[in-house]
Amino acid sequence: MAGAEVPDIVIGRLPIYLRALNLLYEAGQEFTSSQELGQKLGIGSAQIRKDLSHFGEFGKQGTGYEINYLREQISKILHVDRDWAVALVGFGDLGQAIAHYGGFASKGFHIEAIFDNDPAKIGQETNGKIVHDIKSLAQVINQLKIKMAIIAVPASVAQSVSDLLIEAGVKAILNYAPITLTVPEKIQVQYIDPVVHLQRMTYYLV
Amino acid sequence: MAGAEVPDIVIGRLPIYLRALNLLYEAGQEFTSSQELGQKLGIGSAQIRKDLSHFGEFGKQGTGYEINYLREQISKILHVDRDWAVALVGFGDLGQAIAHYGGFASKGFHIEAIFDNDPAKIGQETNGKIVHDIKSLAQVINQLKIKMAIIAVPASVAQSVSDLLIEAGVKAILNYAPITLTVPEKIQVQYIDPVVHLQRMTYYLV
DNA sequence: TAGATTGTTAATCGATTAACAATC
DNA sequence: TAGATTGTTAATCGATTAACAATC
């Protein structure tokens, strides 16, 4: 049933479903079931069916889901059936690794602008993209109409970079800096902090 | 009340609390309250108090929490009041960025062994650690009694690397490969896939 | 037809939140 | 003392799960 508000937690699982479907597709499989998918993901089959039911009916009784059709549909739902321009702020070790990572472009996320404040890095080129002075951030992001950004700067300056980005029109931020950002309500933020993930596991290790 | 089972979701928030407390501590602040902390993290104050109440009483009515005391206590709860040896598998762009990242060691996570299967990489040195042939993985991990590992290899080989690690005695895996791993029940796994995070945001962008 | 699997309902389970007595 | 804030209870809210009619 479309129209009603879909819980964030459901949206959060769709990329995981999509990833698994892509994998099955690339392996040449044509059909799958909520049971098979659930088993691969460590999730209950009922949950997968319930999640999908928020958006429509994608399967057939008796046969399950056509993999290619379902991944197309989920891609549309998530709006990843198109290309997205992404800004990258910070060109240190991490920023450079992000810029070199091939996994973004193949999924439609294109790093169209890179920024740093280090004169030694400004002007460097990667994948045909030049590292801009962070002073020109607003201008470049405005011009390219960029809505998504990746923050890969030290924690001490992440909040001010976030403010700059939002001021420039960015609506979604993937933040690698180990700090919780304060942003306006409508701005999307996702966090990647490997230390947090490690610390979530040590609790369970004796 | 200690003893009862603490929900995973509560454990998952503790590293976030700890990160915020460390920040306040470094800023020289001595006391905080559940309200202040909640505001900084975008979380309700009641939730923070409830979460902490699973482990004991750490605050004082009227004055709140002593920051240094609370961060020490949370560190103990999470078992991050000690050093952890970590293995890193994969020394490509991402693996190298991880190996160079200073944020791990400062939090007690020390990369004590690095593995790759590329002859060109085996033998290279980083931070005094030599890149080992992945064939020696079991032996090295056994010898160093390593319980945690980071996977930074292509998705196509991540599952087999995971199997190897677990066979060698690893109990917790931070997986950067874009694939859900199948592991025995007691093994901890955390995932970092930046594409998944980006895809969780595009849904909300128009 | 027989077997399989969907989409959905209703029940269960668990997490969040509001409220407040206790007390620093 | 007055003000602030804890830890905890109970109520609310929301998510997961089991079960099954529908149907391919």
Side-chain angles (χ1 to χ4, degrees):
Chain A
M1 197 240 289
E5 197 69 17
V6 179
D8 287 354
I9 200 164
V10 172
I11 301 300
R13 281 190 292 261
L14 294 186
I16 306 294
Y17 299 165
L18 183 56
R19 198 171 64 177
L21 289 166
N22 282 333
L23 217 61
L24 289 170
Y25 180 79
E26 281 154 24
Q29 194 171 321
E30 259 194 272
F31 292 89
T32 189
S33 64
S34 58
Q35 183 155 106
E36 182 184 46
L37 214 45
Q39 191 148 17
K40 286 193 182 302
L41 298 177
I43 285 179
S45 62
Q47 180 163 85
I48 292 174
R49 295 198 302 280
K50 186 99 208 291
D51 284 353
L52 294 177
S53 76
H54 286 96
F55 306 98
E57 307 190 354
F58 305 105
K60 259 203 194 93
Q61 286 99 327
T63 56
Y65 303 92
E66 212 238 296
I67 288 169
N68 194 41
Y69 175 72
L70 184 54
R71 67 184 198 125
E72 276 175 12
Q73 293 303 308
I74 294 180
S75 293
K76 272 185 200 164
I77 292 165
L78 289 175
H79 305 136
V80 293
D81 59 339
R82 69 194 74 179
D83 285 329
W84 287 93
V86 181
L88 169 63
V89 188
F91 200 61
D93 275 338
L94 177 60
Q96 289 176 38
I98 292 169
H100 290 138
Y101 179 51
F104 287 121
S106 69
K107 298 298 176 184
F109 296 102
H110 302 277
I111 294 176
E112 298 290 2
I114 307 176
F115 302 93
D116 204 295
N117 67 352
D118 179 352
K121 285 170 192 152
I122 296 167
Q124 281 186 31
E125 202 182 316
T126 309
N127 291 340
K129 300 297 163 195
I130 289 169
V131 178
H132 295 279
D133 189 331
I134 197 162
K135 284 176 190 152
S136 63
L137 188 144
Q139 191 219 313
V140 173
I141 284 185
N142 260 294
Q143 189 157 15
L144 299 179
K145 295 192 167 56
I146 293 178
K147 298 299 171 204
M148 308 191 82
I150 299 175
I151 292 181
V153 302
S156 54
V157 293
Q159 181 64 58
S160 62
V161 165
S162 169
D163 296 344
L164 273 181
L165 287 167
I166 293 166
E167 173 69 21
V170 162
K171 303 294 185 197
I173 293 173
L174 176 55
N175 178 33
Y176 279 86
I179 183 177
T180 301
L181 299 175
T182 299
V183 300
E185 209 191 338
K186 288 302 184 61
I187 303 296
Q188 295 296 313
V189 185
Q190 292 274 314
Y191 295 92
I192 292 183
D193 182 350
V195 167
V196 164
H197 287 285
L198 292 174
Q199 290 180 336
R200 280 176 181 159
M201 299 194 287
T202 49
Y203 174 79
Y204 300 96
L205 305 184
V206 159
Chain B
M1 196 239 289
E5 196 70 18
V6 179
D8 287 354
I9 200 164
V10 173
I11 302 301
R13 280 190 292 260
L14 294 186
I16 305 295
Y17 299 166
L18 183 56
R19 198 172 64 177
L21 290 165
N22 282 332
L23 216 59
L24 288 170
Y25 180 79
E26 282 153 23
Q29 195 170 323
E30 259 195 272
F31 292 89
T32 189
S33 64
S34 59
Q35 183 156 105
E36 182 184 47
L37 214 47
Q39 191 150 15
K40 287 195 182 300
L41 299 177
I43 285 179
S45 62
Q47 180 164 85
I48 292 174
R49 294 198 302 277
K50 187 102 208 290
D51 284 353
L52 295 176
S53 76
H54 286 97
F55 307 98
E57 308 190 353
F58 305 106
K60 259 204 193 93
Q61 287 98 327
T63 55
Y65 303 92
E66 212 237 296
I67 289 170
N68 194 41
Y69 176 72
L70 185 54
R71 66 184 199 127
E72 276 175 13
Q73 293 303 307
I74 294 180
S75 293
K76 271 185 199 162
I77 292 165
L78 290 175
H79 305 136
V80 293
D81 59 338
R82 69 195 76 180
D83 285 328
W84 287 94
V86 181
L88 169 63
V89 189
F91 200 61
D93 275 336
L94 177 60
Q96 290 175 38
I98 292 170
H100 290 138
Y101 179 50
F104 287 120
S106 68
K107 298 296 176 186
F109 296 102
H110 302 277
I111 294 176
E112 299 288 4
I114 306 177
F115 302 94
D116 204 296
N117 67 352
D118 178 353
K121 285 170 191 152
I122 296 167
Q124 282 186 30
E125 203 181 315
T126 308
N127 291 339
K129 300 296 162 193
I130 290 168
V131 178
H132 296 278
D133 190 330
I134 197 162
K135 283 176 190 151
S136 64
L137 187 145
Q139 191 218 313
V140 174
I141 283 184
N142 260 294
Q143 190 157 14
L144 299 178
K145 297 191 167 55
I146 292 176
K147 298 300 171 204
M148 309 189 81
I150 298 175
I151 293 182
V153 302
S156 54
V157 294
Q159 181 63 57
S160 63
V161 165
S162 169
D163 295 345
L164 273 179
L165 286 167
I166 293 166
E167 172 68 21
V170 163
K171 303 296 184 196
I173 294 173
L174 176 55
N175 178 34
Y176 279 85
I179 182 177
T180 301
L181 299 176
T182 299
V183 301
E185 208 190 339
K186 288 303 183 64
I187 304 296
Q188 296 295 314
V189 186
Q190 293 273 317
Y191 295 92
I192 292 183
D193 181 351
V195 168
V196 164
H197 287 284
L198 292 175
Q199 291 180 336
R200 281 176 181 159
M201 299 194 286
T202 49
Y203 173 80
Y204 300 97
L205 304 185
V206 160

